[in-house]
Amino acid sequence: MGKTKGFIRIIASLLVTALLTLSLGIYCVFAREPADKAVNAGEISPNIINVGGVPISQQKYDQKFGIYTHISYENGKSIATLFTMEQSWELKYRREYGEPMRLTNEEILYLISDTINLFKEYDEVRISNCGYVKSYDTKGKNKKGVYEVASCRIETLCSFVALQSTGQGDVTFVIGSDSELVDSSYLSTRDWISVVYYFLTDEKDDAHFVISEIKEILSGTVGSGFWFYKGNIYFVYNLSDANRGDLKCLFDSNTE
């Protein structure tokens, strides 16, 4: 009988030891974060903004484009100046001598958003453009300054900009893309520019561009479209697969 009790005690002791070992193992598994899932806090942007439905790291692009923004104070006024005269001439030289200066969708969206914010944060915004400086009083009612500064800022930094003259005024198109297919010859094709214009303005009755023809040509279009027109800025994420309902207004000078 004594031997039986001793055997039972040994079995019970082994079971308790096994349960404790298992519990400790489970605790270690769940208490320790796997190395491959560890989060590097330095890779998390502290300020994510959403522009045109696209999440953008403001910190990342502040660092990239901040060299072109210069803050000063005069007579109690805060002033943001975009580009020094030397910077504007250097960028003009690079564009005209064939350097393919590309801006991605995120970079163009950031520049538009940042321009809007500069007009909200400073008393005056200035932009240098190869020989002259234009100033805008941000406290005035004329918000078209945002439109003019944003378009000039993008044209200064990007090679791939096209202009379409219409009876209703000039229209500026900018393509945002990392694709090597976007180049100067691509933008210089007048038919392409006209097709995009009719697509965006919904000129359904035009004799030369019925909707089916527009969609057929757009199906081969590379990149996203940014449209500067009548003080407003619009964005189409993917022109090759777009309907007019995909057109997003990023800035409306009549309401901002």
Side-chain angles (χ1 to χ4, degrees):
M1 185 69 177
K3 291 182 178 180
T4 302
K5 289 183 177 179
F7 180 76
I8 292 174
R9 290 194 189 98
I10 293 173
I11 295 299
S13 177
L14 290 172
L15 286 172
V16 170
T17 301
L19 287 171
L20 287 173
T21 302
L22 179 62
S23 299
L24 181 60
I26 292 173
Y27 172 79
C28 290
V29 168
F30 286 97
R32 180 179 63 84
E33 183 178 21
D36 61 343
K37 292 185 179 180
V39 176
N40 183 352
E43 293 179 356
I44 300 177
S45 171
N47 192 357
I48 298 294
I49 56 177
N50 190 300
V51 186
V54 179
I56 296 170
S57 167
Q58 181 149 350
Q59 183 186 50
K60 174 181 177 181
Y61 294 115
D62 278 348
Q63 292 172 349
K64 178 170 184 176
F65 295 109
I67 60 172
Y68 300 119
T69 303
H70 310 276
I71 307 303
S72 60
Y73 298 88
E74 297 178 11
N75 302 319
K77 294 174 61 177
S78 58
I79 301 169
T81 301
L82 296 164
F83 309 112
T84 63
M85 200 61 70
E86 292 78 12
Q87 286 174 331
S88 67
W89 278 110
E90 177 195 354
L91 291 165
K92 177 181 173 65
Y93 178 89
R94 289 165 58 187
R95 288 194 314 274
E96 291 186 348
Y97 279 82
E99 180 177 338
M101 295 170 58
R102 300 178 183 278
L103 289 176
T104 65
N105 294 332
E106 288 188 6
E107 289 170 338
I108 296 173
L109 289 166
Y110 166 82
L111 290 169
I112 293 169
S113 174
D114 185 61
T115 301
I116 293 171
N117 289 333
L118 290 178
F119 272 75
K120 292 178 179 178
E121 294 173 9
Y122 296 93
D123 298 313
E124 185 178 335
V125 174
R126 299 174 181 173
I127 187 162
S128 302
N129 190 3
C130 301
Y132 72 89
V133 177
K134 191 166 184 178
S135 300
Y136 298 86
D137 179 1
T138 64
K139 306 307 177 186
K141 294 182 178 180
N142 182 9
K143 298 300 182 182
K144 288 188 178 179
V146 172
Y147 170 90
E148 293 180 8
V149 170
S151 59
C152 183
R153 198 176 178 185
I154 291 168
E155 287 182 51
T156 300
L157 292 166
C158 183
S159 305
F160 306 107
V161 178
L163 184 67
Q164 168 77 45
S165 295
T166 71
Q168 298 179 331
D170 291 336
V171 186
T172 300
F173 297 104
V174 184
I175 290 294
S177 175
D178 292 322
S179 172
E180 295 297 324
L181 296 175
V182 177
D183 57 20
S184 299
S185 61
Y186 178 77
L187 282 179
S188 65
T189 305
R190 187 59 53 181
D191 290 344
W192 175 85
I193 297 174
S194 298
V195 166
V196 173
Y197 173 73
Y198 286 117
F199 164 72
L200 295 174
T201 55
D202 205 15
E203 296 281 355
K204 296 182 180 179
D205 297 328
D206 187 271
H208 301 289
F209 295 97
V210 296
I211 291 299
S212 60
E213 293 175 354
I214 292 175
K215 292 301 294 181
E216 182 179 351
I217 298 176
L218 281 177
S219 65
T221 302
V222 178
S224 299
F226 293 84
W227 183 39
F228 291 76
Y229 185 54
K230 289 189 173 181
N232 297 343
I233 305 172
Y234 303 92
F235 170 56
V236 176
Y237 181 71
N238 184 357
L239 282 166
S240 67
D241 189 34
N243 293 305
R244 194 173 185 280
D246 297 324
L247 186 66
K248 295 182 180 181
C249 183
L250 301 177
F251 178 77
D252 185 340
S253 61
N254 297 314
T255 60
E256 292 287 342

mmCIF file of all heavy atoms in Angstrom, residues 78-94:
data_model
loop_
_atom_site.group_PDB
_atom_site.id
_atom_site.type_symbol
_atom_site.label_atom_id
_atom_site.label_comp_id
_atom_site.label_asym_id
_atom_site.label_seq_id
_atom_site.Cartn_x
_atom_site.Cartn_y
_atom_site.Cartn_z
ATOM 1 N N SER A 78 5.332 87.585 -41.026
ATOM 2 C CA SER A 78 6.009 86.328 -41.330
ATOM 3 C C SER A 78 5.920 86.067 -42.834
ATOM 4 O O SER A 78 4.842 86.201 -43.430
ATOM 5 C CB SER A 78 5.384 85.171 -40.556
ATOM 6 O OG SER A 78 4.001 85.057 -40.845
ATOM 7 N N ILE A 79 7.045 85.711 -43.437
ATOM 8 C CA ILE A 79 7.116 85.575 -44.897
ATOM 9 C C ILE A 79 7.726 84.221 -45.261
ATOM 10 O O ILE A 79 8.771 83.835 -44.737
ATOM 11 C CB ILE A 79 7.962 86.700 -45.513
ATOM 12 C CG1 ILE A 79 7.356 88.063 -45.155
ATOM 13 C CG2 ILE A 79 8.073 86.533 -47.024
ATOM 14 C CD1 ILE A 79 8.260 89.232 -45.480
ATOM 15 N N ALA A 80 7.060 83.501 -46.172
ATOM 16 C CA ALA A 80 7.596 82.255 -46.719
ATOM 17 C C ALA A 80 7.983 82.514 -48.170
ATOM 18 O O ALA A 80 7.124 82.864 -48.990
ATOM 19 C CB ALA A 80 6.559 81.141 -46.637
ATOM 20 N N THR A 81 9.267 82.354 -48.481
ATOM 21 C CA THR A 81 9.760 82.570 -49.846
ATOM 22 C C THR A 81 10.143 81.230 -50.456
ATOM 23 O O THR A 81 10.946 80.481 -49.878
ATOM 24 C CB THR A 81 10.975 83.509 -49.859
ATOM 25 O OG1 THR A 81 10.614 84.770 -49.276
ATOM 26 C CG2 THR A 81 11.462 83.735 -51.285
ATOM 27 N N LEU A 82 9.584 80.937 -51.613
ATOM 28 C CA LEU A 82 9.858 79.678 -52.302
ATOM 29 C C LEU A 82 10.930 79.906 -53.362
ATOM 30 O O LEU A 82 10.733 80.716 -54.281
ATOM 31 C CB LEU A 82 8.577 79.146 -52.937
ATOM 32 C CG LEU A 82 7.496 78.789 -51.896
ATOM 33 C CD1 LEU A 82 6.144 78.635 -52.553
ATOM 34 C CD2 LEU A 82 7.875 77.528 -51.158
ATOM 35 N N PHE A 83 12.047 79.235 -53.201
ATOM 36 C CA PHE A 83 13.221 79.310 -54.057
ATOM 37 C C PHE A 83 13.965 80.636 -53.859
ATOM 38 O O PHE A 83 13.349 81.702 -53.831
ATOM 39 C CB PHE A 83 12.870 79.178 -55.552
ATOM 40 C CG PHE A 83 12.005 77.996 -55.875
ATOM 41 C CD1 PHE A 83 10.699 78.162 -56.307
ATOM 42 C CD2 PHE A 83 12.490 76.707 -55.735
ATOM 43 C CE1 PHE A 83 9.891 77.085 -56.612
ATOM 44 C CE2 PHE A 83 11.690 75.620 -56.024
ATOM 45 C CZ PHE A 83 10.385 75.795 -56.463
ATOM 46 N N THR A 84 15.256 80.529 -53.734
ATOM 47 C CA THR A 84 16.095 81.717 -53.883
ATOM 48 C C THR A 84 16.246 81.960 -55.380
ATOM 49 O O THR A 84 15.921 81.088 -56.194
ATOM 50 C CB THR A 84 17.487 81.492 -53.264
ATOM 51 O OG1 THR A 84 18.145 80.423 -53.979
ATOM 52 C CG2 THR A 84 17.381 81.114 -51.789
ATOM 53 N N MET A 85 16.741 83.122 -55.752
ATOM 54 C CA MET A 85 16.924 83.394 -57.174
ATOM 55 C C MET A 85 17.922 82.410 -57.783
ATOM 56 O O MET A 85 17.740 81.936 -58.912
ATOM 57 C CB MET A 85 17.402 84.835 -57.362
ATOM 58 C CG MET A 85 17.172 85.362 -58.765
ATOM 59 S SD MET A 85 15.406 85.383 -59.232
ATOM 60 C CE MET A 85 14.812 86.712 -58.181
ATOM 61 N N GLU A 86 18.947 82.063 -57.003
ATOM 62 C CA GLU A 86 19.953 81.111 -57.493
ATOM 63 C C GLU A 86 19.326 79.735 -57.725
ATOM 64 O O GLU A 86 19.630 79.058 -58.725
ATOM 65 C CB GLU A 86 21.105 81.002 -56.490
ATOM 66 C CG GLU A 86 21.964 82.249 -56.362
ATOM 67 C CD GLU A 86 21.309 83.342 -55.525
ATOM 68 O OE1 GLU A 86 20.282 83.053 -54.844
ATOM 69 O OE2 GLU A 86 21.811 84.477 -55.556
ATOM 70 N N GLN A 87 18.459 79.305 -56.811
ATOM 71 C CA GLN A 87 17.807 78.000 -56.964
ATOM 72 C C GLN A 87 16.913 77.962 -58.199
ATOM 73 O O GLN A 87 16.893 76.978 -58.944
ATOM 74 C CB GLN A 87 16.987 77.681 -55.710
ATOM 75 C CG GLN A 87 17.820 77.291 -54.505
ATOM 76 C CD GLN A 87 16.987 77.128 -53.249
ATOM 77 O OE1 GLN A 87 15.938 77.762 -53.083
ATOM 78 N NE2 GLN A 87 17.439 76.266 -52.349
ATOM 79 N N SER A 88 16.164 79.039 -58.434
ATOM 80 C CA SER A 88 15.255 79.057 -59.577
ATOM 81 C C SER A 88 16.025 79.015 -60.899
ATOM 82 O O SER A 88 15.617 78.335 -61.844
ATOM 83 C CB SER A 88 14.340 80.279 -59.534
ATOM 84 O OG SER A 88 15.066 81.481 -59.711
ATOM 85 N N TRP A 89 17.169 79.729 -60.974
ATOM 86 C CA TRP A 89 17.981 79.688 -62.186
ATOM 87 C C TRP A 89 18.625 78.306 -62.392
ATOM 88 O O TRP A 89 18.705 77.801 -63.511
ATOM 89 C CB TRP A 89 19.080 80.756 -62.134
ATOM 90 C CG TRP A 89 18.606 82.121 -62.524
ATOM 91 C CD1 TRP A 89 18.451 83.200 -61.710
ATOM 92 C CD2 TRP A 89 18.212 82.553 -63.831
ATOM 93 N NE1 TRP A 89 17.977 84.285 -62.415
ATOM 94 C CE2 TRP A 89 17.823 83.916 -63.729
ATOM 95 C CE3 TRP A 89 18.139 81.929 -65.073
ATOM 96 C CZ2 TRP A 89 17.380 84.648 -64.817
ATOM 97 C CZ3 TRP A 89 17.695 82.672 -66.161
ATOM 98 C CH2 TRP A 89 17.321 84.006 -66.029
ATOM 99 N N GLU A 90 19.076 77.701 -61.306
ATOM 100 C CA GLU A 90 19.693 76.381 -61.405
ATOM 101 C C GLU A 90 18.686 75.344 -61.916
ATOM 102 O O GLU A 90 18.999 74.532 -62.797
ATOM 103 C CB GLU A 90 20.214 75.934 -60.031
ATOM 104 C CG GLU A 90 20.810 74.527 -60.049
ATOM 105 C CD GLU A 90 20.995 73.944 -58.660
ATOM 106 O OE1 GLU A 90 20.766 74.668 -57.673
ATOM 107 O OE2 GLU A 90 21.354 72.760 -58.572
ATOM 108 N N LEU A 91 17.456 75.376 -61.384
ATOM 109 C CA LEU A 91 16.426 74.428 -61.799
ATOM 110 C C LEU A 91 16.022 74.661 -63.252
ATOM 111 O O LEU A 91 15.766 73.720 -64.004
ATOM 112 C CB LEU A 91 15.222 74.533 -60.866
ATOM 113 C CG LEU A 91 15.477 74.031 -59.441
ATOM 114 C CD1 LEU A 91 14.375 74.515 -58.488
ATOM 115 C CD2 LEU A 91 15.574 72.509 -59.412
ATOM 116 N N LYS A 92 15.963 75.922 -63.662
ATOM 117 C CA LYS A 92 15.656 76.242 -65.061
ATOM 118 C C LYS A 92 16.735 75.682 -65.991
ATOM 119 O O LYS A 92 16.435 75.096 -67.042
ATOM 120 C CB LYS A 92 15.555 77.762 -65.239
ATOM 121 C CG LYS A 92 15.305 78.226 -66.669
ATOM 122 C CD LYS A 92 15.250 79.747 -66.740
ATOM 123 C CE LYS A 92 15.179 80.245 -68.172
ATOM 124 N NZ LYS A 92 13.933 79.854 -68.857
ATOM 125 N N TYR A 93 17.987 75.840 -65.596
ATOM 126 C CA TYR A 93 19.111 75.326 -66.381
ATOM 127 C C TYR A 93 19.009 73.814 -66.525
ATOM 128 O O TYR A 93 19.183 73.253 -67.616
ATOM 129 C CB TYR A 93 20.419 75.730 -65.703
ATOM 130 C CG TYR A 93 21.660 75.212 -66.400
ATOM 131 C CD1 TYR A 93 22.272 75.957 -67.406
ATOM 132 C CD2 TYR A 93 22.220 73.987 -66.036
ATOM 133 C CE1 TYR A 93 23.409 75.486 -68.045
ATOM 134 C CE2 TYR A 93 23.360 73.512 -66.669
ATOM 135 C CZ TYR A 93 23.951 74.260 -67.674
ATOM 136 O OH TYR A 93 25.078 73.791 -68.309
ATOM 137 N N ARG A 94 18.706 73.129 -65.430
ATOM 138 C CA ARG A 94 18.617 71.665 -65.462
ATOM 139 C C ARG A 94 17.488 71.191 -66.378
ATOM 140 O O ARG A 94 17.645 70.232 -67.133
ATOM 141 C CB ARG A 94 18.419 71.138 -64.041
ATOM 142 C CG ARG A 94 19.649 71.265 -63.172
ATOM 143 C CD ARG A 94 19.334 71.078 -61.694
ATOM 144 N NE ARG A 94 18.723 69.773 -61.434
ATOM 145 C CZ ARG A 94 18.237 69.423 -60.247
ATOM 146 N NH1 ARG A 94 18.285 70.286 -59.225
ATOM 147 N NH2 ARG A 94 17.715 68.229 -60.081
#
